[in-house]
Amino acid sequence: MQMIRTLLITVLVPWLWIPAAAQDQSYADCLVKATSSWGQPCDKCEIYSGYKRDYSTVYQLELRNICGEMMEVKVAMEESNGTWRTFPVKVLAGGDTLATFACRGTGKYLYWARRVNDTEILLPTDGEIVSAYPGR
């Protein structure tokens, strides 16, 4: 899993600057993966195998702000069809977590972070994410 994450970062990091004209690296470093899991129940994912709900493809991720300052975070999770499930910008105080999911996940995710009310750093919109990272 670490090798996949390293490869993903190596491939996607140059693309992070396209939708977000500048990236405050110090705030991006404040956001770390707290937990991740496959196959856990998710109320928002309605995938069925026969008459029973099937959570086997659900990928859930929890990101944590390990810094003391409040920050704004934008997250996108890749679905198996190549589309990105995006989440609204959320404000995280120090120590807070943000839970995200993909119903038919690939395990790939992207995130952008900035200090609260920093108008110099632009977080990408859902449309910018979709156009910068097209489906398969």
Side-chain angles (χ1 to χ4, degrees), residues 104-120:
R104 288 187 165 97
T106 63
K108 296 178 186 175
Y109 61 93
L110 301 170
Y111 63 85
W112 297 263
R114 69 178 180 189
R115 185 180 71 239
V116 170
N117 297 324
D118 185 343
T119 57
E120 292 180 14

Side-chain angles (χ1 to χ4, degrees), residues 10-110:
T10 304
V11 172
L12 293 180
V13 164
W15 286 96
L16 294 179
W17 282 271
I18 290 174
Q23 180 72 16
D24 187 351
Q25 190 60 40
S26 63
Y27 285 94
D29 290 343
C30 289
L31 203 60
V32 298
K33 180 168 71 169
T35 63
S36 65
S37 64
W38 286 97
Q40 298 300 314
C42 178
D43 291 338
K44 298 187 179 185
C45 296
E46 295 187 12
I47 301 167
Y48 288 87
S49 178
Y51 294 107
K52 186 177 178 185
R53 272 183 131 166
D54 180 10
Y55 299 108
S56 63
T57 60
V58 175
Y59 178 65
Q60 296 182 49
L61 171 71
E62 191 172 272
L63 298 170
R64 180 181 310 278
N65 176 358
I66 60 170
C67 296
E69 292 188 58
M70 291 181 65
M71 57 194 283
E72 295 175 315
V73 178
K74 176 77 175 175
V75 179
M77 304 275 292
E78 188 181 40
E79 297 280 354
S80 62
N81 64 1
T83 61
W84 292 89
R85 179 181 295 271
T86 57
F87 296 87
V89 174
K90 182 165 181 189
V91 175
L92 293 180
D96 282 356
T97 59
L98 169 64
T100 59
F101 65 93
C103 294
R104 288 187 165 97
T106 63
K108 296 178 186 175
Y109 61 93
L110 301 170

Side-chain angles (χ1 to χ4, degrees), residues 118-132:
D118 185 343
T119 57
E120 292 180 14
I121 296 175
L122 301 176
L123 297 177
T125 64
D126 293 350
E128 290 170 335
I129 293 170
V130 169
S131 64

